[in-house]
Amino acid sequence: MANAASHVDQGSLMRIFNSDADPNTTEIHPVLQCVQVKPLAGQQGNPERFRVVFSDINNFVQSMLATQANHVVHEGKLRKGCFVRLTKYQANQVKGKRIIIVLELEVLEELGECEKIGEPKALEFKEEDESKPNPTTIASNGFYGNKPAQQQSQQQALPSRSNQSSSASHANIYPIEALSPYAHKWTIKARVSHKSDIKTWHNKNGEGKLFSVNLLDESGEIRGTGFNEQCDTLYELFQEGGVYYITSPCRVNMAKKQFSNLPNDYELMFERDTVVEKAEEQNGVPQVRFNFTNIGDLQTVEKDTTIDTIGVLKEVGETSQIVSKTTSKPYDKRELTLVDNTGYSVRLTIWGNTATTFDVMPESVVAFKGVKVSDFGGRSLSLLSSGSMTIDPDIDDAHKLKGWYMAQGKNDTFASHAGMTGTMGAAGGRSDPTKSIMQVKEENLGMSENTDYFSTKATIIYVKQENVSYAACLSEGCNKKVIETDPGQWRCERCDKTHPKPEHRYIMSINVSDHTGQLWLSCFDDVGRMIMGMSADQLMELKENDDKAAGDAFQDANCKTYMFKCRAKMDTFQDQQRVRYQVSGANALNYSQECAKLSQLIKEYSMI
């Protein structure tokens, strides 16, 4: 322990947070002890995050690993008691707390591991230091403090420490990971990984246009959007694959997840005075960031989740065309078959110009970013308009797949996801425990930071008739809410289209009961159709033309028993936290299986 302690840079954490030096001066790369490593709770589909506490013997500080540094945890190198050298990081301070975002670190395995050295204390600063301006925070899914919308404390941005130098005019480069609504006077250096087409809109408030770009650096990704004047100014400047310096003023807003598939809680909105410059040095910024899901794991991924995947191109279908039943517009499509070393294959559909110009040879390795998981035909994938594909990327995952396929996979037989929807479509093949309603409540399912999944056999005793559906877009695969701007004019902002009528989709609340209690469940369109025995369009027509018949339809839905597959998660409504139970699928009872279960239960009680 004494030998290891002599290598720790005592007092270095205080020097980092007290430093007012220019970042081009001597940098601090401290040797510290890791005294805690914990995973952070996150949303499904987002990259895994880790919280780490580092000590310099005198003091300790909370830290968060950027996603590109996660490998040191996955490889088992970063463990409690080990010693590390921070080589690249971003230091931030907020009233009463200090935090470091670790971009790169080196685990000093030669120093071994030991119990915590000394009795390090939390960093303390003078009161006047706490009131300095320049607030900033990090996008960390509630890593510390309150939610960004509620956070009032001011923070001070400190210079990035890096073993790489920046140009003199852009010395203090922020990592994307450190941007938040409370940050200002920042510059990021990022690569444009995707640029959208210009979209226009027309509604009762006026008309306009916009475009968006996905921006990428070593720490993460963020979406940036330019409206109207900024669209005219910046659209031609931004080019896919180019690296740019972007300097505030630039608004940082909470991300609108319906328009973005990036794992970031925030997004940028370019303003009139936002400065965008093309970087002379185009290297030093990654080309694209992937968070791959294996083809064999697709059964555990929920329907409509956006993922990245990589596979060997086994088959390429011909281009075909479908005509939308609602808009009568033609859509070009092409189906691809991908395989990987999990022994599974999957069908992936590409659309539009990507489909018609697709010219990739079979047996190539293709990485897809931003594909939507569907339960059509078991499990299938669809490349989103904001997604991208990379042919034979120069990354380890691609090299391993290519080597496996040429050595073995070329002659393998692959299982398909077709017909493997499990018992309840959207939840895939996950085997969820069956719980009574009393067990759901007594076990506090949904009360933790993680989502809990369960199945329950229950009888519907009431269907709430208010707000039973919403008016949805008719465009294929959209389903977003539309607004009636004029009689017979229903506007979808996402698709930038106006339809003569909407398609109503269920968003039902039902009260169910078993022998142990009652529970409110939220249901969507597929389950609503099963319960009501008709589409939401048909029900809305009944409510409009024959109120009694509509009432009878709701009554007929009662007293029916289903096996509901549910997920429980904490939700905030009108500043009050509550558990929301959402149905992901439902099946009518299979009486043969139910009898077998009851028979087995009786045997376990030794009653026969």
Side-chain angles (χ1 to χ4, degrees), residues 224-237:
T225 304
F227 292 87
N228 299 325
E229 182 182 341
Q230 284 66 51
C231 184
D232 294 332
T233 304
L234 299 176
Y235 186 77
E236 293 301 329
L237 177 59

Side-chain angles (χ1 to χ4, degrees), residues 58-121:
N58 295 345
N59 301 105
F60 66 85
V61 66
Q62 296 186 61
S63 308
M64 185 173 70
L65 294 186
T67 51
Q68 73 264 26
N70 284 352
H71 64 91
V72 293
V73 179
H74 296 152
E75 294 166 3
K77 294 180 179 179
L78 184 63
R79 296 195 295 262
K80 182 179 178 181
C82 73
F83 297 87
V84 305
R85 177 180 289 110
L86 304 187
T87 56
K88 192 172 182 182
Y89 55 91
Q90 172 79 25
N92 285 269
Q93 64 183 41
V94 62
K95 189 172 184 180
K97 295 185 180 180
R98 303 297 182 275
I99 188 170
I100 291 177
I101 303 169
V102 180
L103 303 175
E104 293 179 6
L105 78 165
E106 176 187 359
V107 179
L108 306 177
E109 298 179 89
E110 64 273 15
L111 297 183
E113 300 174 12
C114 65
E115 294 296 319
K116 180 178 66 176
I117 301 175
E119 293 296 331
K121 299 180 180 179

Side-chain angles (χ1 to χ4, degrees), residues 213 233 338 351 362 367 448 528 532 537:
V213 289
T233 304
L338 297 179
W351 302 87
S448 66
M532 298 303 300
D537 276 333

Side-chain angles (χ1 to χ4, degrees), residues 130-394:
E130 305 288 4
S131 60
K132 291 181 180 179
N134 299 336
T136 188
T137 187
I138 62 169
S140 62
N141 290 331
F143 170 50
Y144 67 92
N146 294 327
K147 295 182 179 179
Q150 300 168 329
Q151 188 167 345
Q152 301 296 325
S153 54
Q154 288 189 323
Q155 308 173 24
Q156 178 178 354
L158 294 158
S160 299
R161 313 288 179 180
S162 171
N163 54 2
Q164 300 177 0
S165 61
S166 304
S167 65
S169 60
H170 298 289
N172 190 14
I173 301 297
Y174 264 62
I176 285 175
E177 192 78 54
L179 294 178
S180 83
Y182 304 94
H184 69 95
K185 294 184 180 179
W186 49 261
T187 297
I188 60 172
K189 182 181 181 182
R191 187 181 302 277
V192 176
S193 59
H194 173 77
K195 183 175 82 167
S196 74
D197 295 329
I198 293 177
K199 299 178 181 179
T200 59
W201 77 85
H202 310 270
N203 57 33
K204 59 184 178 182
N205 297 321
E207 58 184 43
K209 55 186 174 181
L210 64 88
F211 82 103
S212 64
V213 289
N214 291 349
L215 302 168
L216 165 74
D217 73 2
E218 292 177 320
S219 71
E221 298 173 90
I222 196 167
R223 181 175 182 260
T225 304
F227 292 87
N228 299 325
E229 182 182 341
Q230 284 66 51
C231 184
D232 294 332
T233 304
L234 299 176
Y235 186 77
E236 293 301 329
L237 177 59
F238 280 121
Q239 297 297 324
E240 282 193 11
V243 178
Y244 299 84
Y245 292 108
I246 302 170
T247 304
S248 60
C250 181
R251 190 175 301 175
V252 184
N253 297 325
M254 296 301 294
K256 297 178 180 177
K257 293 295 186 179
Q258 67 268 37
F259 301 125
S260 175
N261 59 354
L262 299 183
N264 197 323
D265 289 335
Y266 304 119
E267 62 185 16
L268 304 179
M269 190 174 81
F270 303 124
E271 299 182 335
R272 183 181 60 183
D273 296 324
T274 301
V275 179
V276 179
E277 305 170 72
K278 189 165 185 178
E280 294 181 6
E281 297 178 0
Q282 295 286 299
N283 54 6
V285 179
Q287 294 287 337
V288 66
R289 177 179 298 280
F290 294 105
N291 183 31
F292 291 128
T293 298
N294 293 331
I295 295 174
D297 292 337
L298 290 178
Q299 283 296 321
T300 65
V301 179
E302 291 191 27
K303 176 189 173 186
D304 296 332
T305 301
T306 301
I307 64 166
D308 305 337
T309 195
I310 186 171
V312 177
L313 186 60
K314 187 72 171 176
E315 296 176 5
V316 180
E318 296 294 327
T319 305
S320 60
Q321 197 171 77
I322 62 171
V323 177
S324 171
K325 295 179 181 178
T326 53
T327 64
S328 298
K329 289 183 63 175
Y331 293 90
D332 293 311
K333 59 177 286 192
R334 187 193 295 265
E335 292 187 350
L336 313 176
T337 301
L338 297 179
V339 299
D340 70 5
N341 53 7
T342 63
Y344 278 86
S345 68
V346 68
R347 185 179 72 256
L348 189 150
T349 304
I350 55 178
W351 302 87
N353 189 55
T354 305
T356 55
T357 60
F358 187 82
D359 187 21
V360 180
M361 294 297 296
E363 301 188 356
S364 299
V365 176
V366 189
F368 290 89
K369 183 173 184 62
V371 294
K372 185 177 180 180
V373 178
S374 168
D375 62 357
F376 179 74
R379 274 294 184 271
S380 58
L381 304 174
S382 179
L383 181 63
L384 299 172
S385 59
S386 59
S388 62
M389 64 180 180
T390 307
I391 313 303
D392 291 321
D394 186 15

